Amino acid sequence: FCQPSGWQLFTERKPPSFVIAVLTDINSERHYCACFTFCEAVESSQQIIGHRPANCSDLQKSQSSEGDEDGDSGIIQPAQLFAPKSLVLVSQLDHTEVFRNSLGLIYTIYVDGLTMSLETVVGNLLTCIIPIAGGSQRTISLGAGDRQVILTPISDSLPVSGCSVALLFRQLGINNVLFLFCAAMTEHKILFLSSSYQRLTDACRALMAIMFPLKYSFTYVPILPAELLEVLSTPTPFIIGVHSTFRSETQELLDVIIADLDGGTVTVPECIHISLLPEALLHSTQTALSMVGITTLQTAGQIHPPTTTTVRGLRQQDKEIRAVFLRLFAQLFEGYRWCLHIIRIHPEPVIRFHKAAFLGQRGSVEDDDFLTKVLDGMAFAGFVTERGAPYRTIDMFDELVANEVERIRLEEGRLHKVLKHIGELSEQLYKNENPYPTVAMHKVQKPSDGSYLQLHRRPFPHLDEGTVQWIIDQATAKLQNAPPAVRAEKKCMVPSGPPIAAAIDGNALANSARRLEVVRNCITYIFENKMLEAKKLLPAVLRALKGRAAKRCLTIELNSHVQQNRAVLDDQQFDFIVRMMNCALQDCSSVDEHGVAAALLPLVTAFCRKLGPGITQFSYSCVQEHVVWTNTQFWEAMFYSDVQDHIRKLYTESEGGVSPRQECGEQDVRSALEIASEQRRFWPTLPKEKQQELIQKEESTVFSQAIHYANRMSYLLLPLDTSKNRLLRGSGLEVESASNSFVTNSIAGSVAESYDTESGFEDAETSDVANSVVRFINRFVDKVCTESGVTNEHLKGLHSMIPVDIVQMHIETLDAVHRESKRLPPIQKPKLLQPTLLAGEEIVAEGIRVYLLPDGREEATGGIMGGPPILPAEGAIFLTTYRIIFKGMPADHLVSEQVVIRSFPVASLTKEKKVSAQFQVDQFIQEGLQLRSCTFQLMKIGFDEEVASDLELMRKQIHKLRYPQHVRGTFAFTMGQSPKQSMGPKQKEKNPSLKTLSKNLVKSAKRTMGRQYVTRKKFTPPTVESRGSQQSVDDNEDEISVSEEVEQSTLTLSTTMKSSDKMTMSHVVERACCRDYQRLGLGTLSNSLSRSKNEPFRISTVNRMYTVCRSYPSLLIVPQTIQDSTIQRISRCNRQNRFPVVCWRNSRTKAVLLRSAGHSSKGVSGLFKSQNPSATGQSQTDSSSLEQEKYLQAIINSMPHYSDASGRNTLSGFTSAHMNSSGKWGSMRGSSSTRMSSYIPSSEVGLRLAARDTTSPQPNGGPSEAHFLRQQRAALYIIGDKSQLKGVKQDPLQQWEVVPIEVFDVRQVKASFKKLIKACIPSCVPTDPGSGTYYRSLEESEWLSQLHKILQVSVLVVELLDTGSSVLVSLEDGWDITTQVVSLVQLLSDPYYRTLEGFRLLVEKEWLSFGHRFSHRGAQTLASQSSGFAPVFLQFLDCVHQIHLQFPMEFEFSQYYLKFLAYHYVSNRFRTFLLDSDYERIELVGVMYEEKGERRSQHVCKSVWDYIDRLNKKTPIFYNYMYVPEDGEVLRPYSNISNLKIWDYYTSEVLSEGPSYDLDPSSGQQEQPEEGDRQDTATPQTQRKIIWPCYDNQGKVEPDAITRLLTELQALEKELGQPQERWKDTWDKVKATQRTESRQDIRYASPSSLLMSSNLSHHRRSLGVYLQESGVVGSTLNLSLSSDVSSTSTSPSSMMGGRKNTSTLYNQFQSSESENRSYEGVLYKKGAFMKPWKPRWFVLDKTKHQLRYYDNKTDTECKGIIDLAEVESVSPGTPTMGAPKNIDEKAFFDLKTTKRVYNFCAQDYLHAQQWFDRIQNCLSDA
């Protein structure tokens, strides 16, 4: 410590230095070590013999260092080296200046060779008498002609700082010092660095001074020597100073805050969080500090700024800064004395601080991290011990906190008053350190200038120890005779100051007088037994009890009804009181800072009810489920509070002044601290016996309270049913280590054993509960009794009493109570409401009574949105074979009596977990279950223990239903299988053939698959020579070919086919794919109408046995030139064998859209010319790759524009008109040109395509293209995954180009969906409402950015197809994002897919037939449970929804249709979306065929499509009234995230009937009659209805205009007895009349006719007519006709000349029926076997490719459909039996389909010929 940098020799003399090190002894006493160091020459080695070296061993005494007196008398040569020597003075007194002067004097005597004896000076120094503190001063002299004045501070407790604080602020600045201050207060490690040791000491002293009145109690070393640097890695907090040369050693300290005094910086490591002062205090402190002149802010602008550099100025400033901190502490600790509990007065006061109450009164529990840490710290513990005593000497801080706090609060923000107060305080502090005006009485000799540089100087002499000791002895003898200097202590009662003004409750409304009145009235009604009145008020009371004032009011009121510590109630009164108590305790935290639990504790043992003779149940047995009862700190605070009250009474009663009944809270009664203060004053005057008597009385008081509390704790910790190990749930009785008390209790520590093994859920016996309670109480008793000074004998007695007398006896009492309470008649609970079930749905688990609790969605709770709080609702949860249903009514009956229903399909359950539902309803509910569904529904239910076991059983059943062993176990298969519904005869007839087909298919497929794999294993790679001949390949394929030939006879459509097989094969032809291929003209299967070989594509049956690719459909479109055998080889290049196949063709450009899986690793390299060609022979991979190239070339050649000989054609056949985009961009936006420009940079693909080579001139000389696709482009673009195509280079000779894009995988979709669900249906209300939590979590889910990506890629593909390039989408395994993109491309490009029928076909073709893994992605069975739920199809539907929003007039179906599909694709109500491919569906007894032609029972639909058809006939629920299609319209939606909307399917809810997608057409859930009834009943009363947003089905209650008119029309028809017309017919008629009106005069069009008018521009449509949709159907028809309507309508010609590049005009507004009628008329049709000829109205529909017939011309219900895809031939016929008479024989013709032959007869030969030709044309066009 003398040489902190280490002892070392110097080459030149250094001037003397002085430094003070501070050491701390084992008793925490500080020792100040003043070190005076100077240099001495080191003698040469010859001279040094016999002398001791001048190092630290010379320091024989701590008082001074003594040299060797054995000096040499000869002349000393100048030495080259100098060694340091130190004079050290150690003292417990801190008088820096005196030490400096005294040591300086000794040095002066030595260096200047003065004549005084050093021994005398040292002796005098050691024996001089320092005056006692209290502001005295004394002059001392060391006998060397010197004179010094020692001043002592007036108050010992105030630190002496000199000007160190001011210097610290100058060195570091205000904020840095505040950082350090907060760090020191919250016990962080602080390290000061400086090159000056004096600065280090001053900085540490300053930090100590500003922490006053707290004293730092950790490691404090202002100067740390180099050898002790490892101390810095100590785990405890410290304040240490280190020389800045050791900066590098401090670099790796990760948890130390480093303050560099020289550089003025404070470095806080990243891992450290410093809790700062509360915002208001921090700001006011910063302001005050900047005012006291540290930063000279106030004087910066003055002409003559004052100079404050004088020492007096610095000292004054130092005191001003300290005054600021004193004020800060007064504000922080305001009212602390009101939270002190005095638990013993004699023999010594024992005081505890009630931290929770202090924090609660300040209202800063959660937000004030700083104060909480300070109160938990060691420094504050010392503060309570030192300053808690009621009778002691007081200082400046005591007066400030008692008297000045009010003034500080009032002056807040008034700067001049604050400054004035700071000035007053600083004056006091200054006076404390300098009690007398300074007198220049100091006189100390100083060494002459430069004396330290003297060349010839003797070493410092050895002192004679004897002489020094003699001087000391003499002085001691003198002192013994002198009278002792005793300073009179001015002890007094410490003032407490005003109590803390209780923090104002945040919720002002909750504490209004009206609410308190309600609480009082309710309690009065309960005790007057007016239970009906009380019941009405109870819900309001429970709501009011959220506020603090109401809780206080409750305890006061209940107190007034307790007589002689007990109040006996009847059952209902008891129930109400318990509910109120539970409600008050519900929000109570474990520390009970507002004292609610404390106030209720005496009351829970007061209220009781009689259960039987001698058996009483107290209310404590019903309020145990609160965390506060398991917190030791709460019990300690309560115990100390009660002990204080009793000790207070002990002394007040003994004086006879106060009656024992007087309340302790009254102001006129003295507080416990005042009494204690008085008692301490009398204590020395009392005789010994009296003192002993008081000690015993106090101890017995504490002891009796300990017994009382042991009982109380057993009451609240032992559960009523001790057999259920409920006790440790939630919090556990593992006692918290923290505590209110600051005594480290060795006994408590030794008693505590290891309780880690206890978990609340193991099966345990009663004894476990008892033991844990005993241990908990024992630990508590040990702690409080040791701290309160109870004798060991008493403590042992108490320990023996707790287990037997207290706990065991209480358990016996409880057993009797529990037995009796079970016999109580249950409280009358409301009847359970039964749910209405769907056809085929059966109940699995009967209703279990539960509460539906509110979750994070606010509408139903009447939160910010307003509205009545419908939740929590009381009812039951039911489990059926199909759904989980909750049905009940709001728990608060005064809110409403509406029925609340929430349900979702079992199959859609994604997560189920237990939650702790701390909720107050009829009784206190603690257990809960949370069920989350992927239909965006959340069920959070609370239940009591009665039903816990039933619910556990239900959970197992839910799991079994959710994950059946096999798909046959799903509801779609099990529904309606009960014997009640017999199978129809037709069905029985049908099944055998279905089964035979499926069995044949599956058997042969399996056989073939097996063989195929065998042959693959045997395969040897062909040599280079044999590559030309096809020999080896054929050999390899041989076995496969044979196996296929064997089966082929059963499946070719030859005349030799068995009739049953023929029929089943016709089903294959009838599949969605086939129908669509024929519509698109991509090929047909019929023999007689077979196409010529020049057709580019054909339908291949290579996969008919599902041998090539299991997940593909049986019929595939491939180029005409590719043989089936080639296809098998190609398929190996793609993952899952999903090779490229055509799925759509652009009718205008003839470009095709293909789909496949991503290339397998072999396939990728094959697509491009090999970068490193191998010298050896070709492998099988290469041959496959060659085949693949040929395949792609064949596709390119199949396109008319690319089939010429030239390598890469430039689309010269295209006209410029072709190049113009015929589509349109999203509605309500700008023109397409701006849209294009915005699109280019948004996609990497766009950039790639835009960057194509444009150097070659355009051959057709046409105008340059406006779009980002140049005319020189590839014939085929392959869209592949970027990650797979790394390092692949393009071959310039190939006609295709690969476009690598980044796509997200299924894991990202899953993760995104989880976050989306949590954002849309949060399980609890966000902690900070209004902070945009919903939008933030939506963004984090990345759901919209995934939609953006899908739409972006889809629009690009549409662009490419529209400009004549074909596109192959080849991503992942070809069944997720590929399907999404391909489906969206077709939807955007082809208007047919935007009709109801077309969309169905699209889903059947692309999603079902092409094998999207619905079962796997939906985790529908036990096998796929682990894979989790991935909503790929939902993403597609969401994309369609986004497009629908932008183009509301292009879709025949409504938004509700999409929601319906989104709900039912996961519901498993229908078989449509089960299983992963057609192969699996066939394997499972021909599921894929049951959708056509089967006769089903009336109620059960197995296909979702049939169900939709049936509903659509009855109600326009799926129809979009705004449907006005444009021919050949290509849509290009905006895909930027800003243009995407969150689908209301995710957020909407209907509590009145549950999800609106489980409509049952058979059970009469039709809206029309209902609406009519409503109208009738509502008319006489009022026309107004209240619609609750989350409760009512808005679309039903408030339908849109058109639906409403249709409904009224039907009601009128019914009233008039007319036959009811179908809604579709009515609608078609209305549209027809609108058309004629608009033709007559468009200029005077009424708003209603404008809706249907023909020549509205697209822009007008999208802006003006917008039918917004919500709920089931649209809600309002908004016709906002802006001013441009008149100009548009008056000049149709000018409008025609508008933008020609997009089809912006509507030609005719036609109904879908009429526009699809290509030819119609009457034909006679021969019925089936044995049925007569009948005239029918026939309609030939080219678009839908079908022939429909009706009863007559006006009939709208189609009687039958002949699909032209099935027609094999049309031929002239002959009249048969029963044919119409008098008709020419040539008027007969026959239509042969794959199923049967139809016989027709026209009116005459001409009509017959026309029909014949039209049908032939339709067939050939296909």
Side-chain angles (χ1 to χ4, degrees), residues 376-599:
D376 285 337
M378 291 276 286
F380 187 75
F383 173 84
V384 170
T385 313
E386 183 190 340
R387 293 185 176 264
Y391 184 68
R392 59 175 169 80
T393 321
I394 61 169
D395 63 15
M396 190 174 158
F397 178 74
D398 292 314
E399 289 168 358
L400 183 66
V401 83
N403 310 325
E404 305 275 335
V405 173
E406 198 54 45
R407 173 180 171 182
I408 294 174
R409 194 182 295 116
L410 290 172
E411 290 175 356
E412 197 63 58
R414 297 159 77 177
L415 298 183
H416 60 287
K417 294 211 168 178
V418 173
L419 265 177
K420 186 183 173 193
H421 191 210
I422 290 172
E424 290 169 18
L425 293 174
S426 65
E427 203 50 55
Q428 276 177 274
L429 287 168
Y430 188 80
K431 197 158 188 186
N432 181 61
E433 278 181 39
N434 310 290
Y436 299 100
T438 43
V439 187
M441 293 182 65
H442 290 281
K443 179 186 173 196
V444 181
Q445 285 88 337
K446 291 186 179 171
S448 51
D449 289 347
S451 57
Y452 70 93
L453 294 172
Q454 288 171 5
L455 286 182
H456 306 291
R457 189 188 332 146
R458 297 168 64 81
F460 193 88
H462 250 286
L463 299 183
D464 179 8
E465 213 171 317
T467 316
V468 176
Q469 191 58 49
W470 179 77
I471 296 171
I472 292 172
D473 292 345
Q474 271 193 322
T476 314
K478 255 189 227 171
L479 274 176
Q480 278 172 352
N481 305 331
V486 178
R487 175 173 155 226
E489 283 191 330
K490 298 178 187 169
K491 283 191 179 180
C492 64
M493 189 189 85
V494 183
S496 291
I500 306 175
I504 294 132
D505 202 322
N507 188 353
L509 275 175
N511 294 336
S512 66
R514 175 79 192 94
R515 294 204 174 187
L516 301 188
E517 195 58 39
V518 170
V519 174
R520 287 191 198 97
N521 290 347
C522 186
I523 294 171
T524 312
Y525 287 144
I526 291 172
F527 285 102
E528 289 173 359
N529 224 344
K530 296 180 179 172
M531 297 318 288
L532 201 62
E533 298 293 325
K535 192 168 185 177
K536 282 182 191 169
L537 289 181
L538 191 64
V541 170
L542 296 181
R543 270 204 296 278
L545 282 174
K546 298 271 182 236
R548 215 181 300 164
K551 291 176 183 175
R552 210 169 294 125
C553 172
L554 172 78
T555 53
I556 293 166
E557 286 297 309
L558 290 179
N559 250 318
S560 64
H561 289 282
V562 178
Q563 283 97 23
Q564 285 87 41
N565 295 335
R566 178 171 293 198
V568 184
L569 311 170
D570 68 18
D571 284 342
Q572 206 171 3
Q573 287 175 318
F574 184 78
D575 183 49
F576 276 31
I577 294 293
V578 164
R579 281 174 68 182
M580 285 180 173
M581 285 179 173
N582 269 325
C583 189
L585 286 167
Q586 191 186 337
D587 302 326
C588 184
S589 70
S590 60
V591 292
D592 186 42
E593 64 280 356
H594 300 312
V596 177

Side-chain angles (χ1 to χ4, degrees), residues 774-822:
V774 167
R775 285 196 293 267
F776 185 75
I777 298 174
N778 271 341
R779 281 193 291 251
F780 166 78
V781 164
D782 271 333
K783 190 165 190 318
V784 296
C785 289
T786 314
E787 291 180 5
S788 319
V790 174
T791 58
N792 272 343
E793 291 74 35
H794 274 157
L795 195 52
K796 278 179 190 162
L798 204 58
H799 274 311
S800 59
M801 192 193 295
I802 290 168
V804 186
D805 296 358
I806 295 177
V807 175
Q808 212 48 53
M809 275 177 65
H810 188 56
I811 286 177
E812 284 164 25
T813 316
L814 281 178
D815 285 344
V817 172
H818 181 57
R819 229 181 7 259
E820 286 299 320
S821 66
K822 277 189 164 173

Side-chain angles (χ1 to χ4, degrees), residues 888-956:
M889 298 177 85
D892 187 346
H893 297 299
L894 296 178
V895 168
S896 73
E897 305 215 339
Q898 314 287 65
V899 177
V900 173
I901 300 173
R902 197 176 264 180
S903 72
F904 58 81
V906 183
S908 68
L909 181 73
T910 54
K911 193 167 185 190
E912 164 257 359
K913 67 170 180 181
K914 279 193 165 177
V915 288
S916 59
Q918 300 275 341
F919 214 80
Q920 175 65 44
V921 268
D922 269 355
Q923 65 269 36
F924 185 69
I925 298 289
Q926 199 176 21
E927 294 188 82
L929 188 65
Q930 185 175 296
L931 305 167
R932 208 188 272 276
S933 141
C934 58
T935 59
F936 290 85
Q937 195 47 272
L938 180 79
M939 229 180 258
K940 195 172 176 182
I941 53 174
F943 53 91
D944 51 26
E945 289 189 334
E946 288 173 36
V947 300
S949 53
D950 299 343
L951 217 62
E952 198 52 47
L953 194 67
M954 185 186 269
R955 279 177 74 187
K956 287 175 185 163

Side-chain angles (χ1 to χ4, degrees), residues 982-1216:
S982 58
M983 308 282 269
K986 289 266 177 181
Q987 235 171 345
K988 284 182 183 167
E989 248 173 61
K990 188 99 179 189
N991 276 347
S993 61
L994 284 173
K995 281 183 180 159
T996 50
L997 170 80
S998 59
K999 278 179 185 164
N1000 285 346
L1001 276 172
V1002 171
K1003 273 183 199 163
S1004 51
K1006 282 181 175 164
R1007 213 161 47 230
T1008 318
M1009 295 287 281
R1011 286 183 192 162
Q1012 188 180 355
Y1013 291 134
V1014 173
T1015 56
R1016 278 195 191 172
K1017 282 177 189 165
K1018 289 179 185 171
F1019 180 77
T1020 52
T1023 58
V1024 183
E1025 296 80 47
S1026 65
R1027 203 179 152 200
S1029 66
Q1030 208 55 38
Q1031 179 70 42
S1032 62
V1033 181
D1034 288 343
D1035 285 353
N1036 288 324
E1037 292 299 321
D1038 196 28
E1039 274 193 71
I1040 302 176
S1041 312
V1042 170
S1043 69
E1044 285 177 352
E1045 291 308 319
V1046 173
E1047 307 297 341
Q1048 194 143 0
S1049 61
T1050 58
L1051 278 157
T1052 46
L1053 290 168
S1054 65
T1055 48
T1056 56
M1057 268 178 88
K1058 282 182 266 176
S1059 59
S1060 65
D1061 283 357
K1062 235 180 191 181
M1063 190 174 67
T1064 47
M1065 194 59 207
S1066 72
H1067 276 298
V1068 177
V1069 176
E1070 201 183 58
R1071 292 299 294 148
C1073 307
C1074 226
R1075 295 209 305 280
D1076 204 40
Y1077 296 153
Q1078 287 173 320
R1079 185 185 69 83
L1080 294 164
L1082 285 170
T1084 179
L1085 264 182
S1086 44
N1087 288 342
S1088 56
L1089 293 166
S1090 60
R1091 299 282 171 267
S1092 60
K1093 286 290 178 188
N1094 61 5
E1095 276 290 333
F1097 296 104
R1098 67 186 178 90
I1099 296 185
S1100 165
T1101 56
V1102 68
N1103 198 39
R1104 67 190 169 282
M1105 308 308 294
Y1106 300 98
T1107 50
V1108 177
C1109 175
R1110 276 223 182 169
S1111 56
Y1112 265 7
S1114 52
L1115 304 173
L1116 300 165
I1117 301 288
V1118 296
Q1120 183 77 263
T1121 54
I1122 299 295
Q1123 297 305 311
D1124 284 0
S1125 56
T1126 313
I1127 290 173
Q1128 297 204 331
R1129 288 192 293 281
I1130 291 167
S1131 66
R1132 295 172 194 158
C1133 297
N1134 294 75
R1135 283 190 267 174
Q1136 312 291 345
N1137 288 0
R1138 292 173 69 95
F1139 63 96
V1141 290
V1142 177
C1143 54
W1144 183 76
R1145 177 160 70 168
N1146 189 318
S1147 57
R1148 183 172 62 78
T1149 64
K1150 301 299 182 204
V1152 287
L1153 174 66
L1154 301 98
R1155 62 178 292 165
S1156 74
H1159 295 286
S1160 57
S1161 50
K1162 305 168 191 165
V1164 175
S1165 56
L1167 257 184
F1168 308 95
K1169 298 299 180 210
S1170 172
Q1171 304 295 313
N1172 313 313
S1174 59
T1176 53
Q1178 296 287 338
S1179 66
Q1180 171 199 0
T1181 321
D1182 291 339
S1183 65
S1184 300
S1185 304
L1186 277 173
E1187 299 278 7
Q1188 198 182 9
E1189 271 188 54
K1190 282 182 190 167
Y1191 187 78
L1192 294 177
Q1193 192 60 51
I1195 289 166
I1196 291 167
N1197 294 342
S1198 70
M1199 295 164 60
H1201 303 292
Y1202 288 98
S1203 50
D1204 4 20
S1206 63
R1208 174 174 282 194
N1209 196 291
T1210 52
L1211 283 187
S1212 50
F1214 267 26
T1215 62
S1216 55

Side-chain angles (χ1 to χ4, degrees), residues 344 346-347 651 683 686-700 791:
R344 287 294 292 271
H346 304 313
Y651 289 105
W683 177 252
L686 297 175
K688 276 273 189 310
E689 299 78 28
K690 180 69 177 165
Q691 286 184 344
Q692 209 53 43
E693 183 194 336
L694 286 176
I695 289 171
Q696 277 173 352
K697 272 188 181 174
E698 282 188 25
E699 196 203 339
S700 59
T791 58

